[in-house]
């Protein structure tokens, strides 16, 4: 899953280092929006503006954790 998310981030924000531990600080609002939309579409999860936090988008591991949490919530419904 991490590699799939890496590819989505690299496609959504090609000028950003996907392996950065400061990913959120390298993104502008359009990049954040594009990443959230791509993740939502790819994984069939609902992501909102409230999900666009420095904690959720700090690095690839935090994005994977956010997606896994959303998948778990979706599957529990």
């Amino acid at each position: 899953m991490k590699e799939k998310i890496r590819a989505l981030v690299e496609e959504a924000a090609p000028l950003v280092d996907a392996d950065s531990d400061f990913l959120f600080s390298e993104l502008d609002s359009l990049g954040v929006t594009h990443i959230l939309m791509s993740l939502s579409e790819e994984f069939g999860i609902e992501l909102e503006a409230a999900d666009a936090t420095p904690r959720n988008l700090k690095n690839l591991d935090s994005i994977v954790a956010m997606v896994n949490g959303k998948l778990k919530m979706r599957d529990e419904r």
Side-chain angles (χ1 to χ4, degrees):
M1 174 174 300
K2 186 173 181 177
E3 290 307 313
K4 184 182 276 191
I5 290 175
R6 178 193 314 279
L8 287 171
V9 168
E10 289 173 346
E11 183 179 325
L15 300 178
V16 174
D17 178 10
D19 292 314
S20 174
D21 279 334
F22 305 101
L23 186 61
F24 184 82
S25 65
E26 295 182 29
L27 295 168
D28 60 12
S29 60
L30 185 58
V32 169
T33 301
H34 197 156
I35 288 171
L36 292 179
M37 288 174 52
S38 297
L39 292 169
S40 180
E41 185 177 303
E42 179 69 27
F43 294 101
I45 55 177
E46 291 184 32
L47 293 169
E48 304 168 359
D51 295 313
T53 65
R55 180 176 174 225
N56 286 340
L57 299 171
K58 179 182 177 190
N59 56 34
L60 282 177
D61 290 332
S62 62
I63 295 172
V64 169
M66 175 183 64
V67 170
N68 282 331
K70 293 290 185 170
L71 287 169
K72 183 177 179 184
M73 287 176 26
R74 182 195 69 189
D75 293 344
E76 290 175 352
R77 290 185 197 165

